[in-house]
Structure formats: structure tokens, C-alpha cells
Amino acid sequence: MANTAAEKLRSMIPAAGAIAYPFLLDGFHLAVSPADGPMSFERLVLAALCLLAATAAPLLGLACAYRMTTAAPSSFELRARRLAYICIAAPPLFVLTGVGLGLLHIHVSDELVWVAGWSAACLYVLLAGEQERPAKSAAIAPSIAKWRVTHGVAAAVILLYVAFHLTNHLLGLLGPEVHAAVMKMGRVVYRSSVVEPVLVGLMLFQVAVGVRLAWRWSSQPADAYRVFQIGSGVYLAAFIITHLNSAFVSARAVHHIDTNWAWASGAPTGLIHDAWSIRLVPHYALGVFFVLAHLTSGLRGVLIAHGIATTVANRIWAAGLAAGGLVAVAVMSGLCGVRI
């Protein structure tokens, strides 16, 4: 059945959230930057609402991707669903836009480029045809299944680095000095001439395989758990590319900046009060949440495949998401100046 104009407009809701994302951050910055004197209660409330809306905007993609799941999507429906998944990655993509324009010495507003890019993506979706695609088998092809297993094995290896990295950031709550001391010990290993290229290679491999799996699974009917797994994976793919570009290309190769606590926390101005760096708050926070949530989603699948009751696996998944949220809040608190 052909999609009505109203249905097509509803499918653009995630893109509208993505387009609004940088302007919500602008609203936060204006609210926390009074001309003189202390910040009023009204400004504090406005700032909180803007930051909350900016962090929640990408999550519209998750809800809409689930709502768009059909057995035999038309070309328009499939494009709209995939656009919804991409919208989840708005925070890292906005960081990539800003850093990329700076590296290319293109002196154009990143917000202008941002709106133009998403507008073009929306046009691409809206111009799609209404012809239905044949329903695909829910069974995963053997080649895809092998890639999924390889993706999981590589993730288990990368988890060693992720666990150390997140622990190191949590120690930032004790102060930059503690973070620096632990990071110095860790760099002996993960920045060695052997480990670092292997680690970067594994990260890029995960992105490539993850994008392939997401592309395949996004065309099939999916329950809420699979939609979340795909969406969190899309976010992480954009986050990894963005973080590697920021750390390796921009900071280390071009500007010769040490990617230490000062770099991550936007010193000396800080993440909260800098008009550019505020974009790093949702970027980092959702990055921490989604990396733990995505790993938990993979664990859920493994548990069910090995005979664990679905209800038990679902509870473990929910606990993992809750833990991911708490860790994300703790990490961002440390980066924004909270100390214990």
C-alpha cells in the first residue's frame, strides 16, 4: 500500500531531531553563559532541558526504526528505516563534521553543512519509489553468520581495552593526576608499536563488519532487542571513526596535541562552557552507554543461543543497560569537573 504524505512526514521525525541537535546545544550554551552575575534558576532549568533534549534527540531513531519494521518494505520504507538508524549517530557525526571542516580548512559554519547534509538525506528518502521488495528469509545466510561470530570474537578482544579505558576515565573522579598516572601505565601496553596498530585494525574491522551486519539486518523484521542492537552498533561505528579521526589525525598527527585528560575535558574552558566542546558531552555520554549496552545485547544473544531462558537473558540485558547508564553519568561527571 502506498505511503500517504502524512506517513512520509512522520518518517522524517528522526531526521528532524538530528537537524535540531546542534541548535539544542546552542540553546544550552546560551543558557549557561549569562552576560553577568550568577546563572538564574530559570536559565538552569532551560539549560537542563536543552541538554536533555539534545541527548534524547538521537534516540528518536530507535523508536522510529522499530515502528518502521515490516516484512516486505518498499524502497521508501527501507530507506526511511535506515535513515532512522543513522540519525541515532547524530552526536558523533556532528563532532566529525566540525573536526573534518577544520582539518580541511573549510571556513563554513558546521551547522550550515549539517542542515544541508540531513536535508539531502531526507530528499533521497522521499524520492524513493513505492514498489515493495520481496520478503527476505529471517534466517541468516551462513556467510553473514560467520561474520557475526567473528564480530563477537573481535569484540571480546577489544573489551580488554574498553574495560581499562572506562576504568581510567572513572578514576578521573579522583582527579586528573590519578587519571594521568593510570593512563601512563596503560600506554606502555596499548601505545606500543605492536599493540596499537593491532588495536586500531580491530576497531576498523569491527566498524566494517558491523556496518555490513546492520545493513543486512535493517532490511528484515526485528524485535525491540534487535533494533536496539542495530542502533547501538550504528552509533558505535560512527563513534569509533570520529574518535580515531579526532585522536590520531587531528590531535596527534596534525596539531601534535597529547590526547590526555586536558584534551578530553576541553581544558581550560571545559566541556560545559565552551560553545564548540559542548557537543562532546552527548557524544561521550552516549558513546559510553552504547558500548556497554551493545556488548550486553551481544551477550544476550549468546546466552539465549546456549540455552539460557529468554526471561533471564532479558533481565541481564536490562541490568547491563542500567549499568551502562550509570557508568556514562559517572564518566561525564568526572570530565565536567565533579570530584570525590
Side-chain angles (χ1 to χ4, degrees):
M1 183 179 294
N3 293 280
T4 66
E7 289 172 336
K8 286 191 173 185
L9 288 176
R10 280 196 295 270
S11 70
M12 296 295 104
I13 290 176
I19 291 174
Y21 174 74
F23 302 103
L24 292 170
L25 295 178
D26 288 343
F28 173 86
H29 179 68
L30 289 174
V32 299
S33 304
D36 52 14
M39 187 167 64
S40 66
F41 176 76
E42 291 77 9
R43 280 179 172 268
L44 181 62
V45 172
L46 177 61
L49 290 175
C50 285
L51 188 58
L52 180 62
T55 305
L59 302 182
L60 285 172
L62 278 174
C64 291
Y66 177 68
R67 187 182 63 83
M68 295 173 188
T69 298
T70 56
S74 66
S75 294
F76 166 77
E77 290 168 335
L78 185 56
R79 289 187 185 183
R81 188 191 308 169
R82 285 173 172 161
L83 178 63
Y85 279 121
I86 295 172
C87 290
I88 301 168
L93 290 177
F94 187 50
V95 174
L96 183 63
T97 300
V99 175
L101 290 174
L103 288 173
L104 295 173
H105 302 289
I106 298 176
H107 304 293
V108 178
S109 168
D110 50 6
E111 292 178 350
L112 177 62
V113 174
W114 182 255
V115 172
W118 285 106
S119 298
C122 290
L123 185 62
Y124 171 76
V125 172
L126 292 172
L127 292 178
E130 297 292 345
Q131 182 178 3
E132 288 190 353
R133 294 169 176 257
K136 294 184 179 180
S137 171
I140 301 174
S143 59
I144 295 296
K146 291 179 181 178
W147 282 118
R148 183 178 64 177
V149 172
T150 307
H151 189 67
V153 172
V157 177
I158 294 173
L159 179 59
L160 297 173
Y161 170 75
V162 171
F164 173 82
H165 197 58
L166 291 182
T167 301
N168 194 194
H169 272 297
L170 286 172
L171 291 174
L173 288 166
L174 300 176
E177 299 79 11
V178 177
H179 174 274
V182 175
M183 183 177 65
K184 183 177 180 180
M185 292 186 292
R187 282 182 173 182
V188 174
V189 177
Y190 67 75
R191 279 206 179 180
S192 70
S193 59
V194 175
V195 175
E196 187 172 58
V198 171
L199 184 60
V200 172
L202 281 174
M203 293 285 191
L204 295 175
F205 173 81
Q206 287 296 80
V207 170
V209 175
V211 167
R212 179 177 180 179
L213 291 172
W215 184 266
R216 171 63 183 272
W217 281 333
S218 64
S219 65
Q220 299 176 353
D223 60 15
Y225 297 101
R226 176 54 57 84
V227 168
F228 184 88
Q229 188 173 20
I230 297 170
S232 58
V234 170
Y235 187 97
L236 291 178
F239 183 88
I240 290 171
I241 294 299
T242 299
H243 198 59
L244 289 176
N245 179 64
S246 297
F248 282 88
V249 181
S250 179
R252 291 170 60 179
V254 176
H255 297 107
H256 307 290
I257 298 172
D258 185 14
T259 54
N260 54 18
W261 181 265
W263 175 78
S265 61
T269 306
L271 299 180
I272 297 297
H273 293 284
D274 185 80
W276 195 100
S277 295
I278 184 56
R279 73 186 69 191
L280 297 176
V281 174
H283 169 65
Y284 285 152
L286 289 174
V288 173
F289 170 71
F290 276 132
V291 71
L292 295 176
H294 191 67
L295 288 167
T296 306
S297 294
L299 175 62
R300 174 184 175 272
V302 171
L303 292 175
I304 293 174
H306 285 78
I308 301 298
T310 301
T311 53
V312 175
N314 290 346
R315 288 171 184 168
I316 293 174
W317 177 82
L321 265 61
L326 291 174
V327 173
V329 170
V331 168
M332 292 315 304
S333 296
L335 285 171
C336 293
V338 175
R339 297 291 178 264
I340 58 176

